[in-house]
Amino acid sequence: MTPLATAVSGPRARLFACFLRLGTQQASPLQLHTGASLAAKNHYEVLVLGGGSGGITMAARMKRRVGADNVAVVEPSERHFYQPIWTLVGAGAKQLSSSGRPTASVIPSGVEWIKARVVELNPDKNCIHTDTGKEISYKYLIIALGIQLDYEKIKGLPEGFDHPKIGSNYSVKTVEKTWKALQDFKEGNAIFTFPNTPVKCAGAPQKIMYLSEAYFRKTGKRSKANIIFNTSLGTIFGVKKYAAALQEIIRERNLTVNYKQNLIEVRADRQEAVFENLDKPGETQVISYEMLHVTPPMSSPDVLKASPVADAVGWVDVDKETLQHKKYPNVFGIGDCTNLPTSKTAAAVAAQSGILDRTISLIMKNKKPTKKYDGYTSCPLVTGYNRVILAEFDYNAQPLETFPFDQSRERLTMYLMKADLMPFLYWNMMLRGYWGGPAFLRKLFHLGMS
């Protein structure tokens, strides 16, 4: 690997290199909660729904606000995953085992882990119900239930994953099948899809395409591969600066991109994918594949769709600047389950967590929230096994970049940040409530330039 000293230069770059070296170190085990108490309470000052990135991060922050005994997390899953790394798992660059840890190890020490599923929210009575039949009341509620994968909305799935040649980086059950399909590829169509719904990490469906193309080149199969990206969208990326860079890569690498094409059926036994033309409803096209990567349709979790906290289409209805619910002042939302008009990424959750922490602290003091979320999100667009375009932008789809260089260019340093530094920050800082996104780095670099 190229030494960082030769890849970057200058005082700011050397500081960044230090962060990268730190990120490659083995993360130390978190000294956190080890299990649910036998004497769980029925009321908490702060109740957090969901044990994903947003839920655990906010639980850690709220523990410092009100004390561990006054905070609980409702989460049924035994394992917690750092999902952004699955792009690299599907391409064979990382091991799946590196992405997960026991949920018990990430629940902040002393915070109650209620190992159950939420089945009903009753914000008018300040309580929720779980699938264990328990009613739990709260003073403040943080909803961090993530997003729901709806594979079954594609005819032939999820049962189609029992066949070879098909995978999906969006599920722990299917991400390794992507790598297997990539390795087994001989010749023909390699198809990558993007659904006609909101998705988490909207760049991921095309990241695996770029990585697959790089793998085919490395293994001498590129001349036998017809690489197709069928997307329901009308553009390759929503921010013009990065879209232009991606279009150049697509042209240079001879990739085929078809817009307004939505996957509606997979005939896995025949290795056929059926797409509907969204510009001409009812018009379909059947394409044979040698490899198929499916990005599933996604939606708000079912428990939220029928809840009073949801907007007309099922997402938690929050103020886009404060993350406070528009109707219930003691209810808050964070991450993928909300209707915040920005991309649904872990980086967005990090930035939101700092804003929400401040919002809740002021509301607890009967003060009006002052700090405003600008929609910051980040999408490290992996374009090869050692290159990343770091897209960072705000609510207005305008670049909101951290580093003092053109982030629309492919860079080794950005790949190292994606592959090594960010997982370290996630496990050791974000989940402990100490990482609110790169705003401080942005200030550091920009001050250094002034």
Side-chain angles (χ1 to χ4, degrees):
M1 181 176 293
T2 305
L4 285 173
T6 63
V8 294
S9 61
R12 291 184 296 276
R14 287 195 293 273
L15 175 62
F16 180 58
C18 289
F19 276 113
L20 290 175
R21 285 194 293 271
L22 178 65
T24 59
Q25 296 173 7
Q26 178 66 40
S28 59
L30 300 182
Q31 301 300 312
L32 300 178
H33 191 57
T34 56
S37 167
L38 296 176
K41 299 187 296 185
N42 294 318
H43 176 83
Y44 296 89
E45 185 166 355
V46 179
L47 184 63
V48 180
L49 305 184
S53 57
I56 298 300
T57 299
M58 290 312 301
R61 288 178 176 271
M62 291 300 100
K63 171 186 172 180
R64 293 198 292 273
R65 293 285 179 196
V66 300
D69 291 345
N70 298 310
V71 181
V73 177
V74 182
E75 169 57 51
S77 303
E78 292 278 0
R79 289 191 68 76
H80 178 105
F81 291 98
Y82 176 63
Q83 296 180 31
I85 209 70
W86 287 351
T87 286
L88 299 180
V89 173
K94 291 284 184 178
Q95 294 294 317
L96 180 60
S97 58
S98 71
S99 71
R101 295 183 182 179
T103 298
S105 73
V106 297
I107 301 287
S109 59
V111 168
E112 192 70 53
W113 175 23
I114 300 170
K115 193 164 67 172
R117 188 177 304 277
V118 181
V119 295
E120 182 183 357
L121 286 78
N122 191 339
D124 293 302
K125 294 185 178 179
N126 296 320
C127 69
I128 63 104
H129 293 86
T130 71
D131 59 355
T132 59
K134 188 172 183 178
E135 178 180 289
I136 307 169
S137 61
Y138 57 80
K139 185 173 182 181
Y140 302 100
L141 180 69
I142 299 174
I143 304 172
L145 288 172
I147 198 168
Q148 181 172 287
L149 305 182
D150 296 326
Y151 285 104
E152 70 281 357
K153 291 184 179 178
I154 299 173
K155 186 177 179 181
L157 296 183
E159 61 272 17
F161 288 113
D162 292 336
H163 293 263
K165 312 290 187 179
I166 176 174
S168 175
N169 289 352
Y170 277 89
S171 169
V172 67
K173 297 177 181 179
T174 57
V175 61
E176 290 181 307
K177 287 186 61 64
T178 302
W179 175 226
K180 184 68 165 59
L182 193 54
Q183 291 176 292
D184 291 346
F185 185 93
K186 294 181 174 61
E187 62 178 324
N189 292 328
I191 304 175
F192 306 84
T193 73
F194 191 110
N196 190 28
T197 67
V199 301
K200 57 182 172 181
C201 194
Q206 58 183 294
K207 296 177 194 180
I208 186 59
M209 171 180 65
Y210 302 128
L211 284 163
S212 297
E213 193 275 340
Y215 180 79
F216 293 150
R217 274 189 282 117
K218 185 171 66 172
T219 54
K221 299 176 182 178
R222 181 63 184 94
S223 62
K224 299 179 180 179
N226 180 32
I227 300 174
I228 303 170
F229 185 58
N230 273 10
T231 172
S232 65
L233 302 178
T235 183
I236 195 66
F237 200 75
V239 181
K240 290 183 180 179
K241 176 178 181 177
Y242 307 119
L246 293 171
Q247 289 286 9
E248 184 64 19
I249 290 172
I250 288 166
R251 185 190 64 78
E252 289 176 350
R253 300 181 191 177
N254 193 27
L255 309 174
T256 299
V257 179
N258 299 313
Y259 298 104
K260 296 293 186 176
Q261 297 294 314
N262 186 41
L263 180 66
I264 60 172
E265 181 181 358
V266 175
R267 302 166 183 169
D269 56 335
R270 287 181 275 177
Q271 292 179 212
E272 292 178 346
V274 183
F275 294 89
E276 180 180 23
N277 184 342
L278 295 179
D279 285 335
K280 298 178 181 179
E283 179 181 295
T284 61
Q285 179 184 22
V286 179
I287 307 177
S288 298
Y289 64 82
E290 171 69 2
M291 173 186 175
L292 175 65
H293 177 269
V294 176
T295 300
M298 303 181 202
S299 65
S300 173
D302 289 339
V303 68
L304 293 179
K305 291 187 180 83
S307 166
V309 302
D311 65 9
V313 289
W315 306 101
V316 180
D317 194 16
V318 297
D319 181 281
K320 73 174 189 176
E321 294 182 336
T322 66
L323 282 70
Q324 183 179 25
H325 196 272
K326 292 179 181 178
K327 179 180 178 182
Y328 301 100
N330 65 330
V331 175
F332 309 87
I334 186 171
D336 297 352
C337 66
T338 67
N339 61 359
L340 296 170
T342 192
S343 294
K344 300 177 184 296
T345 69
V349 172
Q352 291 164 23
S353 69
I355 301 295
L356 183 52
D357 186 15
R358 184 62 179 158
T359 291
I360 295 176
S361 71
L362 288 173
I363 288 174
M364 286 177 172
K365 299 172 185 175
N366 295 315
K367 295 181 180 180
K368 186 177 180 179
T370 55
K371 200 169 183 181
K372 297 179 178 180
Y373 176 50
D374 56 11
Y376 171 85
T377 191
S378 172
C379 182
L381 293 158
V382 185
T383 56
Y385 283 93
N386 61 358
R387 290 293 184 271
V388 158
I389 290 173
L390 181 60
E392 294 182 291
F393 48 96
D394 61 15
Y395 275 139
N396 299 314
Q398 295 300 308
L400 189 61
E401 298 182 342
T402 298
F403 302 104
F405 47 69
D406 182 2
Q407 291 182 198
S408 67
R409 290 182 56 190
E410 299 174 278
R411 296 180 186 273
L412 168 64
T413 51
M414 298 297 97
Y415 178 86
L416 295 174
M417 185 184 74
K418 159 72 176 178
D420 298 313
L421 176 60
M422 293 315 299
F424 178 87
L425 290 176
Y426 181 81
W427 294 113
N428 293 277
M429 292 187 68
M430 181 174 164
L431 293 188
R432 293 182 175 183
Y434 294 116
W435 175 252
F440 85 96
L441 280 176
R442 192 179 305 120
K443 291 178 182 176
L444 179 67
F445 284 118
H446 288 214
L447 283 173
M449 294 177 68
S450 61

